[in-house]
Amino acid sequence: MTAFLIPDNYQPRADLLAGKSILVTGAGDGIGRAAALSYARHGATVLLLGRTESKLEAVYDEIEAGGGARPGIVEMDLATAAEENYATLADNLAGELPCLDGILHNAALLGERRPIADASYGQWCEVMQVNVNAQFLLTRHLLPLLQQAPGASIILTSSGVGRTGKAYWGAYAVSKFATEGFMQVLADELENTSTIRVNSLNPRGTNTAMRRAAYPAETPTDNPSPGDIMGAYLYLMGDDSAGVSGRAFDAR
Ligand code: NAP
């Protein structure tokens, strides 16, 4: 599969996301943290969803210290949350916001790196719950609020192993193939019935805790840091990508 790239030398406007409310999952660390900070710096009110309160609070403090709009914190463990928790979240947000302008589905678990022949069913299910089912549940319950925005953007986070399968990547790879499938189905459904756009984005090798766990022999600083790859995250979230939907992107 040939992935799309964002326009060469893309320069986001400083106020690209002014007035927009954007939910970021896995906002406490890694790429999600960088995206939350970057979205706030470009004017968005960011809803920080994650499972570790202290990490979300640190991002909250950093956004406030940088003069960004006061974020919201949604503490939620996507591995254990029940459907009613998603429904309650959607009700609460609908009570506070006129619309939701975007979701960055970013949270994911790497799971175990093993051959399928030795894989544990419990870990398989946990990876699928966080990486696939949670995306469905969040999207399903937040679609009405996304529909209220003039042109909302949904970004689903993919991976190289979600486009070409590789030995020992197990549930993680399969979950990312499912993410690509979810993106295509949703984008096709929404194409003629709404202004919501849906795309997938593969950050490619980036220096985070997940990358260091997956590639312990690598020199971490050989990969870009999360802050270095934000151009694609901004392009796809902001109005510069209006009309672009159903595409699989690489961040670089
Ligand atoms: P990371 O540093 O491990 O961050 C993952 C984030 O997801 C963390 O904030 C984590 O929260 C959160 N998370 C994990 N399980 C959760 C759960 N059950 N409930 C709520 N939040 C949960 O990983 P990353 O490298 O930034 O990855 C971000 C995305 O990029 C993922 O979708 C990953 O698959 C994808 N990706 C990354 C690379 C790469 O090279 N880094 C390459 C391809 C694709 P805690 O910090 O609280 O655990």
Side-chain angles (χ1 to χ4, degrees):
M1 173 200 270
T2 307
F4 286 87
L5 294 172
I6 68 167
D8 277 348
N9 304 319
Y10 174 65
Q11 292 294 337
R13 291 191 322 275
D15 64 348
L16 178 74
L17 302 175
K20 293 188 188 291
S21 300
I22 294 165
L23 178 80
V24 177
T25 73
D29 211 340
I31 295 168
R33 173 180 172 278
L37 293 172
S38 181
Y39 289 168
R41 267 199 302 278
H42 286 82
T45 299
V46 186
L47 305 166
L48 309 166
L49 188 152
R51 63 179 171 180
T52 309
E53 194 182 3
S54 57
K55 291 185 179 183
L56 299 175
E57 282 171 352
V59 178
Y60 180 107
D61 290 346
E62 208 172 327
I63 289 173
E64 282 226 305
R70 176 170 298 169
I73 288 188
V74 182
E75 194 186 335
M76 194 164 176
D77 186 338
L78 300 174
T80 54
E83 183 171 10
E84 66 211 49
N85 301 126
Y86 293 87
T88 303
L89 171 63
D91 284 348
N92 291 344
L93 292 184
E96 289 168 23
L97 301 172
C99 67
L100 184 63
D101 297 281
I103 303 180
L104 169 60
H105 291 283
N106 160 85
L109 279 182
L110 178 63
E112 57 186 4
R113 302 279 316 284
R114 278 192 184 186
I116 297 283
D118 298 331
S120 117
Y121 179 56
Q123 287 215 27
W124 180 278
C125 292
E126 192 181 5
V127 169
M128 290 299 169
Q129 190 62 30
V130 174
N131 298 11
V132 182
N133 298 348
Q135 290 180 157
F136 157 70
L137 287 163
L138 253 190
T139 307
R140 161 79 181 78
H141 286 282
L142 289 175
L143 264 181
L145 206 52
L146 290 159
Q147 301 273 18
Q148 298 303 314
S153 173
I154 299 175
I155 304 175
L156 295 141
T157 307
S158 189
S159 164
V161 294
R163 294 175 181 168
T164 305
K166 267 205 219 162
Y168 317 131
W169 281 85
Y172 178 82
V174 175
S175 76
K176 295 299 185 179
F177 269 91
T179 295
E180 295 286 358
F182 183 67
M183 179 276 285
Q184 291 180 14
V185 170
L186 189 61
D188 200 39
E189 285 176 5
L190 295 176
E191 188 181 359
N192 297 315
T193 57
S194 92
T195 55
I196 301 174
R197 61 197 188 280
V198 191
N199 296 284
S200 69
L201 178 57
N202 169 17
R204 305 195 56 202
T206 309
N207 184 10
T208 66
M210 182 185 289
R211 179 74 190 190
R212 293 189 292 275
Y215 293 90
E218 262 182 6
T219 303
T221 48
D222 284 352
N223 289 310
S225 68
D228 297 333
I229 60 164
M230 286 301 121
Y233 286 79
L234 287 162
Y235 171 76
L236 286 175
M237 191 53 80
D239 293 342
D240 292 331
S241 59
V244 174
S245 193
R247 295 187 185 173
F249 280 84
D250 276 356
R252 59 182 200 284

